[in-house]
């Protein structure tokens, strides 16, 4: 395209000038991570989605995983029998509490270790005690189940979470939403932290109900404060508060175009909203949708063309009673408004980008602009601080 | 296949002996043109399909194109924002007459030039005035909108049209049909000019109603007069009038097989029909379906597996009144008969060829025969006179 | 996966130690045969599925084949016209008994030879008598139509059939089932002869009705007697009768797990069932489902991801009357029970394996165990005694 050259200067603005490197080389690992990053924690589903003794199969980062809740605790192993590769979750069969038996030949695994502990159709098999399925470290907090996907010993969960998420006084709604969205996870993550995408929400019913100022977030115009990469803490980027706002007021062919709602004018709050994106794929929007709540999102890779979109809300409370009331209000008043009347616009945007990035070399053809500096920084941060690139199962090695 | 060798002689007949070259080498560019030819004019849709101020997205030759009608005139630019590649046509939004604003971040382009003229979410962006989307030359004639797809300055439209189409006294029905057909465009074009494919129409209701002689076209048995490649004029092939007819009368196992309708015998007309195919992809059938009308078709590449099939009719008239009457008659009496009871057979044939040519190396495995000489000449002509091979977007170059 | 090494010993058990070769090298030809083996006979359909004078198109081993019954005898040729590759079966048209004419241009072929004998639209074409479609040797026995797919002169059908199938006193039900199943044919064949897969049938209604002992088959623990590869006879493997039974009785976490039905205890028969698998892809289960009947199955490759599953039953009878009664009983009492309430479990298993073997390198990632010795032997036998690997049409040669 003829406009490649002209946009270089803008790209210069979008990317920090801390080395003069205008190539996209620092983003390469990110560009390769179509299935996400390895050796990180990811949310799998809400606690309510797995009752005691039940099993649940879910694909994450291209890996088929089986979850089972045993005595309240959730365990996870590969959701494919070592024998002939069928998924247990097609017909989950458990003879005992700690095991699952493959419905096909009775290969029986301990959910706690992945170890093959019995084969019903060949009780004396020498494979017993020797074969092991990959098992996944699992933790459950704040009504969400998390799995660690990788080969390393699990890193502390708190390093892979949005800061504050595990805070004791933070009540997290157990009734968030989980949905499969047809776009690569990176397009979703970038849309989440996108400093100016708020434009698509300008007619959202939520805006009218909440009377939150538009833009919901202002953004940084320099790199300062945008990147959070302290040693021993979550790594993320923040699109900036209290700096340049993305309020719009411009002219097109003499027609004045401007934001409908503005801080302090026709809204009931002028508080700025902070939106930040954290490795491996978690978003935090604070405050949102109410002045006293925050929203958490995750974009967990399913396969290269789709991701699990998980959304929930948090509020600082003093006791159980306040928490319950908060949950109820989210369910009754806010959930539909946020999920279906607001976030739905984001889902449309993510899916509308997919063709360009998947089939038209979008990663090299795109033209980032000034508000995308946070996306540029996210790519750099993710490229630098990820713990490994996830590869497609079965492509790693031969016999 | 064992029958390759035996058919060579027939291929010799099918292809002109003007160089003794029996290889398919002269057809190579055509074989590569799965997405069509670049730097030509193509019909996009009927004028009635785009009202004043409206937008319409359409894929042509694998390129996503956005059309907008402004003050009666149609303009076209890429249907993907330079920023993140989303199609404008998902949610077309126009703040002003001459522009479209991307629904995602408010990147605003002038339809007349493709230039980025404003960014609602960053009014002072340095990208404004620098980034340009590809814009497509558009012309509108005879109730059809045409776009020029390529890099060169647009050649005269008349060179890419069936001869006579733009004649002043030729009224063209505004109510033709447009349909997406699941076959490569070349299979459609070849079926259009195919000298003997009339065989599939032998039981068509149209034949019985129109009492047109079968075959509708006779065909050339030598190259003479078949190829029209005069300098500065449309390039095409004609399947021949007044030469050998493709009336059939043969015996199979002693059973006599013959055409049902024949010129001058049980039909009301003995006039021969001329069928011709023109670069880049337009067909003219004259006269058809009535003795005083002609039919125009186009097979515009959509992607490699499908094409836009466009059909309409023309008649020479003396005034507006005659034209209106003609349009009405086509709508009421002929359209359904031609489109659904006759051309539909062609659609079936095109789709039935697709598997062979797409998945079974059909371009090299086929066996052309004598009546296919016009197809052979078409391939040679198209290979020689096209102005470029269209390549898949995003495969052209890296950063 | 970390468990590769540990399972080697088991693989050692699963594969015969007749050369110490623990690699999978002896299975390589089998691993390449995703479309099946060439130069073998395959059942196509039941006789009742093709009436006198009728045509039927079917894909086998990736080849499109047209069948026609003429004077009681079935003939087969390619189901794609040599001219432009369309399938005749889209609109079969026969002007005479021994021919089919392509609906597109009237190319007419003799079903008995594949020869192009007339072209309705060009009766004097020099292609007539020269072009030939591939024709397929066909035989019809026991209410089934068989086709030989390959380049060699057809080998005796009896060498490609389960032993005894053609025996004069064996009545074969004409009302068996044919179904397209979405898995590679090899997964189906292996499931058929699988010594321990009977586990999936443990709750089958058939088991309760038939009161047949579970397991239906015992299996070999050594290679002796497992492989049948006598010169001039069908080549197959048998999962073993009268050796180790795959009755199960084991403990998982202190819970006793055992078979519900056992030979001679709560079943009405203690006769062991022999299950054997024969090149190219036929299974024999004897006796089954009744003590006086046997079941025949075939897994005929359709394309790489699917196979035709054909099932029928045989019984030794003394006269026509007994045969008729047997057919009636199978239709009324057994067919639904066997096909839909029992074999259906096998279909689920075959399809559940497909993803692992097609997309996750399952052929190299699987872990066979002791009862799979018969599968290991089948792979070795098939690799050694097949008459050629089938390749995808159109990939064989260029122009």
């Amino acid at each position: 395209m003829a406009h490649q050259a002209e946009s270089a200067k803008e790209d210069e603005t979008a990317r920090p000038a801390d080395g003069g490197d205008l190539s996209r080389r620092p983003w390469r690992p990110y560009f390769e991570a179509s299935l996400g990053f390895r050796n990180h924690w990811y949310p799998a589903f809400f606690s309510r989605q797995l009752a005691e003794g039940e099993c649940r199969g879910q694909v994450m980062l291209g890996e088929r995983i089986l979850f089972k809740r045993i005595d309240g605790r959730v365990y996870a192993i590969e959701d494919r029998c070592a024998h002939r590769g069928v998924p247990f979750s097609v017909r989950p069969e458990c003879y005992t509490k700690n095991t699952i038996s493959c419905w096909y030949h009775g290969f029986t695994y301990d959910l706690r270790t992945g170890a093959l502990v019995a084969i019903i159709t060949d009780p004396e098999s020498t494979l017993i005690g020797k074969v092991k399925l990959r098992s996944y470290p699992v933790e459950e907090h704040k009504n969400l189940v998390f799995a660690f996907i990788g080969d390393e010993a699990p890193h502390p969960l708190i390093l892979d979470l949005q800061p504050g998420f595990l805070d004791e006084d933070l009540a997290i709604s157990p009734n968030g939403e989980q949905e499969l969205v047809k776009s690569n996870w990176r397009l979703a993550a970038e849309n989440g932290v996108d400093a100016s995408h708020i434009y698509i929400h300008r007619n959202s019913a939520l805006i009218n109900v909440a009377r939150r100022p538009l833009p919901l977030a202002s953004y940084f115009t320099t790199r300062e404060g945008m990147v959070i990469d302290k040693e021993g803490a979550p790594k993320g980027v923040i699109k900036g508060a209290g700096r340049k706002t993305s309020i719009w007021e411009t002219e097109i062919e003499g027609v004045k175009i401007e934001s409908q709602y503005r801080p302090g004018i026709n809204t009931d709050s002028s508080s700025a909203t902070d939106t930040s994106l954290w490795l491996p794929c978690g978003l935090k929007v604070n405050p949102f949708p109410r002045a006293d709540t925050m929203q958490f999102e995750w974009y967990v890779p399913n396969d290269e063309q789709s991701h699990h979109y998980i959304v929930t809300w948090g509020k600082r409370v003093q006791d159980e009673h306040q928490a319950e009331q908060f949950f109820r209000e989210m369910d009754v008043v806010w959930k539909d408004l946020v999920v279906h009347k607001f976030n739905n616009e984001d889902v449309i945007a993510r899916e509308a980008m997919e063709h360009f990035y998947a089939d038209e070399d979008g990663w090299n053809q795109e033209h980032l602009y000034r508000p995308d500096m946070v996306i540029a920084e996210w790519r750099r941060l993710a490229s630098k601080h990820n713990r490994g690139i996830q590869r497609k199962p079965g492509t790693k090695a031969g016999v």
Side-chain angles (χ1 to χ4, degrees), chain A:
Chain A
M1 288 196 282
H3 40 73
Q4 282 294 0
E6 290 85 349
S7 68
K9 283 209 188 67
E10 184 78 358
D11 285 343
E12 198 168 358
T13 314
R15 289 174 230 159
D18 61 356
D21 186 356
L22 291 180
S23 84
R24 298 183 170 219
R25 215 174 315 136
W27 303 348
R28 285 277 156 84
Y30 183 76
F31 284 172
E32 286 175 31
S34 56
L35 278 173
F37 295 121
R38 208 155 170 74
N39 297 309
H40 286 275
W41 286 96
Y42 292 88
F45 46 85
F46 289 93
S47 299
R48 67 177 155 84
Q49 292 173 277
L50 190 68
E52 176 62 27
E54 275 188 359
C55 293
R56 175 189 171 92
Q58 186 167 310
V59 177
M60 297 172 71
L61 285 73
E63 300 190 12
R64 300 190 264 148
I65 304 179
L66 181 87
F67 297 87
K68 184 179 179 184
R69 187 182 294 279
I70 302 169
D71 287 340
R73 185 168 163 190
V74 180
Y75 296 88
I77 60 174
E78 280 181 82
D79 187 21
R80 57 177 194 186
C81 184
H83 180 214
R84 306 296 310 256
V86 301
F88 306 117
S89 58
V90 164
R91 310 186 140 192
E93 294 187 345
C94 299
Y95 287 99
T96 69
K97 197 170 68 174
N98 297 301
T99 66
I100 189 158
S101 298
C102 181
W103 49 273
Y104 196 4
H105 298 87
F107 278 54
T108 301
Y109 302 87
D110 192 317
L111 262 294
R112 298 165 301 185
T113 60
L116 178 68
V117 294
I119 301 180
I120 296 172
T121 54
D122 191 24
E124 283 131 47
S125 172
T126 59
L127 290 179
I128 297 164
K130 287 186 191 152
V131 165
K132 242 188 173 168
L133 290 182
R134 176 184 297 285
S135 78
Y136 296 85
V138 173
E139 292 199 22
E140 189 169 11
H141 299 277
K142 306 280 186 185
N143 299 311
L144 269 167
V145 174
F146 298 86
F148 183 83
I149 298 175
D151 315 290
E152 302 176 2
H155 296 241
L157 170 62
I158 201 167
L159 294 183
D160 285 344
L161 276 176
Q162 298 91 317
F165 182 80
L166 296 179
D167 285 358
E168 247 183 63
D169 67 340
L170 194 69
I172 299 289
S173 169
N175 296 322
E177 284 279 309
Q178 175 169 29
E179 183 185 354
L180 196 68
V181 175
K182 289 181 180 172
S183 87
N184 186 270
W185 73 276
R186 291 166 298 181
L187 302 177
E190 295 184 356
N191 173 78
V193 81
D194 183 318
S196 53
H197 88 288
I198 187 64
Y199 178 75
I200 60 170
H201 297 299
R202 67 195 178 289
N203 301 316
S204 162
L206 178 68
I207 298 299
N208 289 291
V209 171
R211 299 188 64 78
R212 301 269 308 139
L214 259 187
L216 299 172
S218 48
Y219 61 87
F220 281 87
T221 51
T222 69
R223 198 189 176 207
E224 211 191 322
M226 182 180 276
V227 179
I228 297 142
D229 57 356
K230 269 170 278 182
E231 184 68 27
K235 306 288 188 286
V237 295
I238 185 160
K239 77 176 166 190
R243 309 296 174 88
K244 179 167 176 52
T245 60
S246 58
I247 277 261
W248 51 88
E249 182 177 316
T250 188
E251 262 190 34
I252 305 174
E253 296 193 284
V255 177
K256 199 170 171 189
I257 312 298
E258 52 184 358
S259 302
Q260 188 181 359
Y261 296 99
R262 298 172 173 223
I265 295 177
N266 49 0
T267 63
D268 63 1
S269 160
S270 63
S271 69
T273 296
D274 258 354
T275 303
S276 52
L277 180 63
W278 303 88
L279 270 177
C281 63
L283 191 80
K284 180 181 177 183
V285 191
N286 184 20
F288 191 83
R290 307 188 331 196
D292 64 347
T293 63
M294 54 189 92
Q295 181 160 310
F296 295 92
E297 305 193 6
W298 289 268
Y299 320 99
V300 182
N302 176 58
D303 57 23
E304 289 175 306
Q305 291 86 42
S306 63
H307 65 274
H308 300 281
Y309 179 33
I310 297 174
V311 190
T312 192
W313 304 275
K315 183 186 175 181
R316 301 206 177 270
V317 297
Q318 288 176 336
D319 53 36
E320 197 58 33
H321 176 74
Q322 273 191 13
E324 290 300 328
Q325 188 176 339
F326 160 58
F327 298 158
R328 216 163 26 243
E329 285 173 12
M330 291 313 299
D331 289 354
V332 176
V333 182
W334 294 96
K335 192 170 155 178
D336 175 67
L337 214 52
V338 170
V339 173
H340 301 121
K341 307 268 182 356
F342 190 87
N343 292 359
N344 197 41
E345 307 281 332
D346 294 306
V347 168
I348 288 170
R350 297 175 210 165
E351 295 185 345
M353 280 186 278
E354 179 66 15
H355 180 68
F356 182 59
Y357 285 89
D359 301 327
E360 296 180 342
D361 193 29
W363 296 107
N364 291 310
Q365 301 297 328
E366 65 179 7
H367 288 73
L368 299 188
Y369 75 138
R370 208 161 42 169
D372 292 329
M373 190 190 288
V374 66
I375 290 173
E377 287 308 311
W378 158 251
R379 292 178 181 180
R380 176 186 291 259
L381 177 100
S383 293
K384 190 172 168 192
H385 292 289
N386 77 79
R387 303 190 192 114
I389 310 288
Q390 172 75 345
R391 306 293 173 187
K392 226 176 161 175
T395 59
K396 270 167 276 185
V399 184

